[in-house]
């Protein structure tokens, strides 16, 4: 049976003025003129703004002023406010709060699922616990609400459920937790998808679902929280650190004093001489084998970077320095820095270089150190080819260029930008008759060690290999 929850407004809900008769109930997704409701309902809502109450207590407030016939309107209003995620529900045990259900998706409704004490239940592999603003949060991307847990016994109980257990056989392990209370907490966990029923032999039901089985924990959490839907609050550009933290400049300052100015092609001439766009698009493919006898030259590398990734000029966002380049990027923030781990390039000594898109230069930041050699070796392994790599391009994100302005979607935006740059490079490589191939994974710790960057401020998020085409064998 669903317990009698204490209801409370989430902290974004306010009343617009102190006038009891006609106040406006406000929240980011609501402006409700309470003047349209009866005095009893207005009093009940006003009281709920001040302190939490059960539905029964709110009904009593209405009944002090009105007949029973006013109650359906109260219940309907509470239901509507719950649906748009404005009402939290707190489970109290022996007069103390145990946990609060906080909606994160709209439309929201709680479907109470009662556990049976003698059946087995197990923690969902999607559930996770963390601290947020001094509250212990347990959540799962499967659920449309998260829990704020106030009582340590609920957490202790949680900890006992890593393997399938009957609620009746573990409740006694926690002091002062009766089977009845344990059953209520377990039902709360089950209703918020933190707990799952276990089937034979000792498997969570979610693991018998072929679709869910193929989701990894981190991927589903990332998906749920980086899209609107299961994500209460702002999703998108909110300039969340405006007036708090300085923005990073559009152009990363030089990383060394040793630089090489690169060749700049004549874009007007290329517009006349390039093969037609459709031909380039149709002939584009992933080339993983390179011609070691005639490797890519520094002039070709210069032309390639100029055509795909140079900075064409500054642009202005309202609050940060933006820029303009041949490939598009969310918010024109251009957080991706391009590094070249060079193994074989005529005119360029092996090592690690940082590309400055504004000055169209390569700054040398390391020789062929063991870390740089390992980066190149990983590129080699990623293509499952034997022949020698030439230039391994690594995209490293200056994360805060994006996360300063964007909420919820910053990292997903960065990964989208990686795809955009990879496709631009594919097309430029094809236009120049060079071999190129996107790479789907890389070692971000190794990159940070090789380039000397702070993993949390800037590290690799995407890769692309580049070289001269080995034309004798078709690598498709
Ligand atoms: C995001 C992304 C990651 C990729 N990762 C790899 C990789 O790690 N190794 C590889 O050999 N090819 C990789 N590729 C190339 C794909 O295998 C290739 O695009 C696909 O097989 C289609 O072939 P095509 O590019 O020749 O049309 C990747 C492509 C993309 C877009």
């Amino acid at each position: 049976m669903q317990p009698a929850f204490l209801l409370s407004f989430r902290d974004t809900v306010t009343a617009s003025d102190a006038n009891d008769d006609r106040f406006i109930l406000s929240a980011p997704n609501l402006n409700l003129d309470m003047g349209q409701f009866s005095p009893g309902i207005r009093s009940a809502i006003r009281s709920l703004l001040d302190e939490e109450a059960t539905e029964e207590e709110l009904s009593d407030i209405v009944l002090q002023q009105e007949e029973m016939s006013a109650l359906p309107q109260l219940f309907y209003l509470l239901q509507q406010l719950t649906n748009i995620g404005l009402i939290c529900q707190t489970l109290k045990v022996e007069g103390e709060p145990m946990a609060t259900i906080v909606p994160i998706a709209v439309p929201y409704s709680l479907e109470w699922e009662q556990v049976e004490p003698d059946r087995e239940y197990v923690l969902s592999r999607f559930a996770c616990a963390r601290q947020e603003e001094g509250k212990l949060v347990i959540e799962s991307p499967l659920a449309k609400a998260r829990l704020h847990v106030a009582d340590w016994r609920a957490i202790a109980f949680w900890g006992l459920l890593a393997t399938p257990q009957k609620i009746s056989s573990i409740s006694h392990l926690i002091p002062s937790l009766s089977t009845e209370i344990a059953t209520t907490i377990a039902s709360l966990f089950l209703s918020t998808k933190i707990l799952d029923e276990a089937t034979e032999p000792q498997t969570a039901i979610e693991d018998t679902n072929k679709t869910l089985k193929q989701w990894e924990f981190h991927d589903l959490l990332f998906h749920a929280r980086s899209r609107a839907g299961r994500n209460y609050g702002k999703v998108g550009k909110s300039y969340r650190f405006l007036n708090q933290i300085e923005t990073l400049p559009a152009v990363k300052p030089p990383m060394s004093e040793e630089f090489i100015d690169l060749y700049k092609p004549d874009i007007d001439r290329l517009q006349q001489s390039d093969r037609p766009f459709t031909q380039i698009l149709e002939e584009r493919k992933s080339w993983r084998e390179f011609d070691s006898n005639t490797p890519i030259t520094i002039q070709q590398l210069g032309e390639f970077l100029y055509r795909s990734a140079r900075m064409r000029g500054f642009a202005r966002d309202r609050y940060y320095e933006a820029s303009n380049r041949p490939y598009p990027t969310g918010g024109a923030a251009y957080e991706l820095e391009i590094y070249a781990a060079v193994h074989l390039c005529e005119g360029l000594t092996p090592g690690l270089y940082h590309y400055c898109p504004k000055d169209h230069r390569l700054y040398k930041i390391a020789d062929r150190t063991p870390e740089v050699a390992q980066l190149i070796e990983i590129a080699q392994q990623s293509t499952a080819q034997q022949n020698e790599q030439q230039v391994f391009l690594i995209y490293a994100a200056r994360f805060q260029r994006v996360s300063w302005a964007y909420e919820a979607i910053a990292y997903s935006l960065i990964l989208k930008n990686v795809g955009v740059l990879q496709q631009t490079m594919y097309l430029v490589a094809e236009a120049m008759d060079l071999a190129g191939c996107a790479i789907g994974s890389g070692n971000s710790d190794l990159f940070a060690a090789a380039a000397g960057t702070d993993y949390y401020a800037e590290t690799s998020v995407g890769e692309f290999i580049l070289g001269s085409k080995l034309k004798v064998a078709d690598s498709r």
Side-chain angles (χ1 to χ4, degrees):
M1 197 185 64
Q2 181 169 330
F5 287 112
L6 273 175
L7 308 183
S8 60
F9 278 121
R10 67 187 316 145
D11 50 16
T12 49
V13 182
T14 53
S16 61
D17 62 53
N19 179 345
D20 252 351
D21 273 353
R22 290 194 67 91
F23 64 94
I24 308 280
L25 197 64
S26 298
N29 55 348
L30 177 84
N31 260 322
L32 185 63
D33 181 355
M34 291 302 295
Q36 62 185 297
F37 294 96
S38 65
I41 289 180
R42 287 203 297 268
S43 300
I45 296 298
R46 216 191 238 278
S47 152
L48 193 57
L49 281 160
D50 295 337
E51 58 176 345
E52 54 194 13
T54 60
E55 257 189 29
E56 203 180 348
E57 288 164 344
L58 293 173
S59 303
D60 288 345
I61 295 174
V62 174
L63 292 177
Q64 281 165 19
Q65 301 176 54
E66 288 164 45
E67 300 293 317
M68 289 283 276
S69 58
L71 290 184
Q73 205 184 12
L74 171 74
F75 297 145
Y76 181 72
L77 177 60
L78 290 174
Q79 187 59 54
Q80 295 300 102
L81 293 171
T82 302
N83 281 351
I84 57 171
L86 297 184
I87 293 189
C88 305
Q89 297 160 294
T90 299
L91 176 70
K92 270 197 170 175
V93 168
E94 292 157 350
E96 296 299 325
M98 176 66 74
T100 301
I101 305 173
V102 182
I104 53 167
V106 173
Y108 169 75
S109 64
L110 178 72
E111 280 169 37
W112 185 254
E113 292 185 63
Q114 185 71 27
V115 304
E116 293 173 29
D118 293 324
R119 288 199 71 146
E120 287 198 337
Y121 296 88
V122 65
L123 280 187
S124 165
R125 68 186 176 85
F126 293 104
C128 63
R130 63 198 174 83
Q131 177 272 122
E132 187 179 282
E133 293 173 358
K135 296 196 172 93
L136 178 60
V137 177
I138 307 184
E139 64 184 331
S140 161
L142 299 175
K144 294 189 167 188
R146 60 170 57 128
L147 282 184
H148 289 175
V149 178
D151 189 319
W152 67 269
R153 290 175 301 173
I155 289 299
F157 191 58
W158 195 67
L160 291 170
L161 287 158
T163 54
Q165 304 286 348
K166 286 182 184 157
I167 305 307
S168 57
S169 59
I170 53 167
S171 54
H172 69 276
L173 295 172
I174 298 168
S176 71
L177 202 67
S178 66
T179 301
E180 193 191 343
I181 296 173
T183 303
T184 307
I185 298 170
S187 302
L188 182 68
F189 286 167
L190 189 65
S191 307
T192 47
K193 315 272 189 232
I194 282 159
L195 199 62
D196 195 15
E197 217 176 293
T199 60
E200 296 301 323
Q202 303 238 312
T203 314
I205 282 190
E206 67 194 15
D207 286 333
T208 63
N209 175 323
K210 277 189 202 155
T211 306
L212 278 183
K213 203 176 168 73
Q214 295 174 68
W215 272 106
E216 285 188 62
F217 156 72
H218 68 283
D219 275 340
L220 190 56
L221 187 65
F222 178 45
H223 172 63
R225 299 294 185 263
S226 60
R227 306 282 305 164
R230 289 175 198 195
N231 202 350
Y232 195 86
K234 291 192 185 114
V235 176
K237 207 172 203 175
S238 62
Y239 299 104
R240 61 202 187 110
F241 291 110
L242 186 66
N243 300 327
Q244 294 175 51
I245 300 177
E246 293 281 293
T247 57
L248 294 174
V251 180
K252 183 175 175 174
M255 291 179 76
S256 81
E257 289 177 355
E258 187 183 341
F259 64 86
I260 301 145
D261 281 319
L262 290 170
Y263 165 74
K264 291 181 185 171
D266 180 342
I267 294 290
D268 289 339
R269 201 175 51 77
L270 286 171
Q271 287 189 24
Q272 305 303 318
S273 61
D274 260 345
R275 283 179 286 151
F277 172 74
T278 302
Q279 191 186 355
I280 289 166
L281 193 60
E282 291 304 312
E283 290 183 1
R284 180 219 63 81
K285 66 171 190 169
S286 297
W287 284 82
R288 301 176 181 84
E289 288 179 90
F290 309 105
D291 185 354
S292 304
N293 294 324
T294 14
I296 187 171
T297 65
I298 186 171
Q299 177 166 329
Q300 286 174 314
L301 182 60
E303 177 174 333
F304 176 84
L305 290 170
Y306 192 84
R307 293 177 72 168
S308 54
R310 76 182 182 284
M311 192 170 132
R312 294 193 288 215
F314 282 100
R316 197 61 224 164
D317 176 87
R318 257 165 82 202
Y319 297 116
Y320 59 82
E321 194 178 54
S323 63
N324 175 289
R325 306 182 193 193
Y327 65 98
T329 276
Y334 290 99
E335 75 286 356
L336 297 178
E337 298 296 324
I338 298 172
Y339 292 79
V342 174
H343 176 65
L344 199 58
C345 175
E346 197 191 308
L348 201 55
T349 53
L352 186 63
Y353 298 81
H354 173 244
Y355 175 60
C356 172
K358 177 172 164 288
D359 298 331
H360 191 52
R361 283 177 177 164
L362 284 178
Y363 284 89
K364 185 161 192 191
I365 55 174
D367 288 324
R368 201 181 197 286
T369 59
E371 286 90 359
V372 173
Q374 219 183 326
L375 283 171
I376 292 166
E377 201 180 314
I378 289 174
Q380 180 94 42
Q381 288 162 4
S382 310
T383 55
Q385 300 293 326
Q386 296 303 319
N387 82 345
E388 264 185 315
Q389 296 292 308
Q390 295 186 3
V391 176
F392 183 41
L393 295 172
I394 302 164
Y395 312 159
R398 282 190 296 153
F399 301 105
Q400 287 69 30
R401 286 278 302 158
V402 184
S403 58
W404 184 90
Y406 286 91
E407 220 160 322
I409 62 169
Y411 193 68
S412 75
L413 209 53
I414 289 171
L415 296 186
K416 286 167 189 165
N417 294 336
V418 166
V420 167
L421 183 54
Q422 283 176 332
Q423 173 66 349
T424 305
M425 287 191 166
Y426 262 120
L427 294 178
V428 172
E430 184 53 41
M432 292 180 62
D433 204 24
L434 289 173
C437 183
I439 298 296
S441 65
N443 186 330
S444 305
D445 268 307
L446 179 63
F447 170 80
T453 58
D454 169 3
Y455 184 91
Y456 301 101
E458 179 187 345
T459 191
S460 57
V461 289
E463 286 83 7
F464 191 89
I465 53 172
L466 183 71
S468 56
K469 283 181 177 173
L470 182 66
K471 291 197 172 164
V472 280
D474 188 337
S475 60
R476 192 187 279 271

